[in-house]
């Protein structure tokens, strides 16, 4: 077998013989795993049926963040311009241009992934991959071929979950996939689901002029987030004119010429259901694994009740030569989680021993305004683990000079530390810049740092990061600025 490492400069792409690794899916899980395997000197093929970059680069993280940047700009001009002497009364918005920018950004990054694969001498095979035994992937579609490999890594990702009876037409009824190409802003948008995706589009559309209503079956927005954080987001969204209806369950929808009528019921007993009307509806109630067409059953790979591929802590399936990562295996459906699993899976399968990935140290972020970011345990989990002596340090952005200067003072930083040494076990941030701030806590948790160590670290003034310092001081019982 030829094994080509990164030092091989022949420039040839050998299209025959057995590979060390065949990766199905070139999303942030698959392409990153492939590059890591190439760095370890392995001969790698990646099978992708669509564009490299997966949902993240093409239909998720990146295009949505491009649109969110536009929405933030609009909000800054409209709501905060006056404080800075900027009169935004005659603002003219062309959302189509924001979509163009978002698509261009995706295209550019997609090409970037293609060149990264090439640079690392990874063969990109265009087509659909399906397991054809423990060491082979049958490719159909644009390429017809059997790819044989010592190891197979499944990284096929996930797709939008659409409830039975709902027809997504890309005109009146959307998932996140179609809405990313829709250039018109309707008068009224109804969003079903107040998770990250639902809230991010609710924010974008509201800033570009839609009257937005979000319905959520559970009793808080961002189910799973710290309830205090969720309460701030809910309050700030309502201040922006976004209507949020909690405890409201989607039942069915009817599409007629100019509108969509959505029947909802209330989860509290005794409260009557009703019919809501909107010009467009975004269905954002979660995602399901793309495990159905991977030949798993024939290959004997087990999946769980929800269709996610089951893996152990080395990310190996019950078939020892087949591993799986990313959205396909469930857990938080996040791009960086997929990438980190990709690296871990490859290192572990090729004998590069390392500890398994610690999923508690993976941050989750939402890019609305205010932004949301968290890592580690929730306060309830930390209290259950460490009792009432848990150290909780909180600092509100109303006391942050930088946040006030930027006219973004909603929210807070909350740091949780175990009582014995003050080691950080979790953090929850809501407010301006939250998604950047969380990285400091991630590093602190990797280093098993304590709040005293963060407190001993010089933080430049004025920065939003001082809120992390101040929350750490608060956890130590020695707040200065609050
Ligand atoms: C609107 C939206 C916004 C998001 N924003 C964020 C964010 O801000 N931050 C974040 O961390 N995450 C975000 N996510 C989630 C993130 O996109 C996913 O967690 C991430 O893309 C998962 O990576 P993956 O590699 O597991 O799968 P994917 O990105 O889904 O990639 C899987 C790839 O496999 C290919 N494939 C599938 N089946 C086959 C087959 N049989 N043969 C060949 N190829 C196949 C697919 O075409 C795809 O390219 C967002 C998601 C959405 C929908």
């Amino acid at each position: 077998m030829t094994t080509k490492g990164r030092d091989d400069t022949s420039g040839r792409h050998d299209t025959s013989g057995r590979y060390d690794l065949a990766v199905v899916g070139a999303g942030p899980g698959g392409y990153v795993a492939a590059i890591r395997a190439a760095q370890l000197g392995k001969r790698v093929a990646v099978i992708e049926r669509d564009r490299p970059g997966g949902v993240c680069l093409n239909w998720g993280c990146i295009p949505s963040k491009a649109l969110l940047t536009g929405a933030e700009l609009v909000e800054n001009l409209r709501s905060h311009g006056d404080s800075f002497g900027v009169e935004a009364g005659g603002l003219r918005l062309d959302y189509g241009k924001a979509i163009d920018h978002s698509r261009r950004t995706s295209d550019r990054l997609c090409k970037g992934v293609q060149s990264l694969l090439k640079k690392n001498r990874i063969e990109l095979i265009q087509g659909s991959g399906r397991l054809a035994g423990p060491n082979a992937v049958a490719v159909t579609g644009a390429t017809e071929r059997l790819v044989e490999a010592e190891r197979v890594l499944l990284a096929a990702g996930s797709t939008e979950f659409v409830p039975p009876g709902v027809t997504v037409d890309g005109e009146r009824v959307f998932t996140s996939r179609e809405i990313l190409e829709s250039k018109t802003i309707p008068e009224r948008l109804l969003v079903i689901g107040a998770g990250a995706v639902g809230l991010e589009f609710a924010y974008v559309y509201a800033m570009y002029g839609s009257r937005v209503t979000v319905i959520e079956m559970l009793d808080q927005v961002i189910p799973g987030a710290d309830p205090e954080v969720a309460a701030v987001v809910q309050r700030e969204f309502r201040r922006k004119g976004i209507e949020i209806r909690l405890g409201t369950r989607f039942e069915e929808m009817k599409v007629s010429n100019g509108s969509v009528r959505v029947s909802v019921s209330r989860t509290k007993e005794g409260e009557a259901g009703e019919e809501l009307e909107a010009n467009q509806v975004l269905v954002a109630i979660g995602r399901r694994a793309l495990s159905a067409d991977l030949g798993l059953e024939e290959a004997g790979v087990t999946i769980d009740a929800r269709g996610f591929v089951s893996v152990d802590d080395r990310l190996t399936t019950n078939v020892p030569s087949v591993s799986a990562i990313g959205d396909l295996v469930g857990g938080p459906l996040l791009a960086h989680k997929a990438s980190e699993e990709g690296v871990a899976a490859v290192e572990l399968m090729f004998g590069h021993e390392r500890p398994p990935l610690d999923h508690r140290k993976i941050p989750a972020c939402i890019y609305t305004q205010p932004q949301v970011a968290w890592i580690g345990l929730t306060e309830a989990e930390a209290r259950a683990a460490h009792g009432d002596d848990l150290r909780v340090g909180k600092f509100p952005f109303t006391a942050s000079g930088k946040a006030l200067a930027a006219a973004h003072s909603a929210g807070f930083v909350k740091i949780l530390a175990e009582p014995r040494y003050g080691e950080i076990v979790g953090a929850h941030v809501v407010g301006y810049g939250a998604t950047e701030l969380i990285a400091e806590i991630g590093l602190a948790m990797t280093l098993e740092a304590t709040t005293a160590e963060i407190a001993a670290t010089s933080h430049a003034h004025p920065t939003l990061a001082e809120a992390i310092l101040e929350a750490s001081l608060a956890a130590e019982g020695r707040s200065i600025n609050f």
Side-chain angles (χ1 to χ4, degrees):
M1 188 201 311
T2 27
T3 304
K4 288 189 180 184
R6 59 190 330 205
D7 298 334
D8 183 335
T9 52
S10 67
R12 271 183 307 115
H13 286 271
D14 190 351
T15 54
S16 61
R18 194 175 159 105
Y19 293 87
D20 296 313
L21 176 66
V23 181
V24 179
Y31 90 77
V32 169
I35 291 174
R36 185 68 190 116
Q39 286 174 348
L40 295 176
K42 304 298 170 188
R43 184 169 177 242
V44 187
V46 176
I47 299 127
E48 171 58 59
R49 65 181 182 192
D50 199 343
R51 286 159 38 112
V55 169
C56 170
L57 265 48
N58 293 296
W59 307 111
C61 324
I62 296 298
S64 63
K65 265 79 258 179
L67 299 175
L68 281 150
T69 308
E72 210 180 309
L73 182 62
V74 175
E75 184 180 30
N76 277 335
L77 289 171
R78 279 230 175 99
S79 306
H80 307 298
D82 191 46
S83 308
F84 302 96
V86 179
E87 173 56 66
L91 209 58
R92 206 180 64 78
L93 303 178
D94 182 349
Y95 184 65
K97 284 197 173 163
I99 290 282
D100 289 341
H101 165 66
S102 133
R103 298 313 322 148
R104 269 197 311 273
T105 312
S106 284
D107 288 348
R108 190 169 165 177
L109 286 166
C110 167
K111 286 193 189 108
V113 172
Q114 264 167 315
S115 31
L116 282 174
L117 294 177
K118 202 167 166 193
K119 184 176 132 194
N120 285 281
R121 301 180 195 297
I122 294 159
E123 194 183 345
L124 177 60
I125 301 171
Q126 210 61 55
S128 272
R130 190 180 166 87
L131 278 176
N135 300 96
V137 178
V139 184
T140 53
T143 314
E144 303 275 333
R145 167 172 172 197
L146 185 73
V147 174
E148 288 180 292
E150 184 198 331
R151 305 290 305 234
V152 176
L153 180 66
L154 302 173
S158 66
T159 189
E160 302 78 21
F161 178 76
V162 178
V166 171
T167 307
V168 173
D169 60 11
E171 254 180 62
R172 299 271 161 217
V173 185
F174 298 84
T175 69
S176 60
R177 170 68 176 78
E178 302 77 26
I179 208 166
L180 281 165
E181 288 187 294
S182 174
K183 292 189 167 185
T184 50
I185 291 287
E187 196 187 322
R188 291 205 63 128
L189 176 74
L190 179 76
V191 177
I192 305 176
V197 171
L199 291 187
E200 287 186 353
F201 283 106
Y203 176 72
V204 169
Y205 271 60
M207 292 309 115
Y208 275 92
S210 263
R211 279 169 61 205
V212 179
T213 302
V214 183
I215 62 167
E216 167 58 52
M217 190 173 78
L218 299 176
D219 285 334
Q220 75 164 51
V221 296
I222 326 171
D226 180 289
E228 275 188 283
V229 166
V232 171
V233 173
Q234 186 175 324
R235 184 193 71 210
E236 293 302 312
F237 264 46
R238 285 186 171 149
R239 278 193 183 153
K240 295 175 206 298
I242 300 170
E243 189 186 355
I244 294 185
R245 292 176 178 230
L246 300 175
T248 303
R249 186 192 288 119
F250 164 75
E251 294 294 346
E252 60 171 350
M253 70 172 73
K254 289 198 184 92
V255 182
S256 58
N257 279 347
S259 72
V260 191
R261 278 175 296 136
V262 173
S263 307
V264 299
S265 60
R266 303 277 300 155
T267 53
K268 268 203 195 115
E269 228 173 89
E271 288 187 10
E274 60 185 309
E275 199 170 76
L276 306 172
E277 200 170 345
N279 309 96
Q280 292 181 354
V281 173
L282 170 66
V283 181
I285 56 170
R287 301 182 65 79
R288 62 178 176 80
L290 276 172
S291 53
D293 300 325
L294 290 174
L296 300 178
E297 214 176 304
E298 299 91 309
V301 174
T302 51
I303 55 174
D304 69 18
R306 297 197 300 155
F308 293 110
V309 174
S310 307
V311 286
D312 60 19
D313 66 356
R314 297 174 72 87
L315 299 151
T316 309
T317 70
N318 58 310
V319 176
S321 58
V322 179
S323 299
I325 54 162
D327 281 13
L328 187 67
V329 301
L333 305 187
L334 295 167
H336 46 286
K337 177 250 185 201
S339 300
E340 284 159 37
E341 284 182 345
V343 170
V346 160
E347 290 182 349
L348 289 164
M349 75 174 68
F350 291 118
H352 189 87
E353 278 312 315
R354 50 161 285 160
L357 197 62
D358 185 350
H359 284 86
R360 282 170 316 162
K361 292 180 183 156
I362 293 174
C365 295
I366 302 177
Y367 298 75
T368 49
Q369 284 303 335
Q371 294 190 341
V372 175
W374 73 89
I375 187 167
L377 302 180
T378 62
E379 190 171 339
E381 287 166 346
R383 283 203 187 282
H386 300 289
D388 285 342
D389 292 335
L390 177 79
R391 297 191 206 173
V392 182
K394 229 175 134 181
F395 185 77
F397 283 113
T398 44
S400 154
K402 183 67 190 288
L404 286 171
H408 281 286
S409 58
F412 59 82
V413 172
K414 175 158 77 178
I415 293 184
L416 310 169
E418 53 77 35
R420 191 153 176 214
Y421 305 106
E423 184 180 334
I424 296 165
V425 295
H428 302 268
V429 186
V430 54
Y432 192 54
T435 59
E436 302 292 337
L437 294 179
I438 204 69
E440 179 176 357
I441 302 290
L443 178 62
M445 287 178 72
T446 300
L447 299 175
E448 300 179 354
T450 62
T451 44
E453 285 164 325
I454 292 200
T457 304
S458 178
H459 287 67
H461 175 74
T463 55
L464 294 169
E466 285 172 298
I468 303 276
L469 166 71
E470 291 284 351
S472 300
L473 284 168
E476 294 282 306
R478 50 192 175 101
S479 285
I480 301 275
N481 283 298
F482 184 63

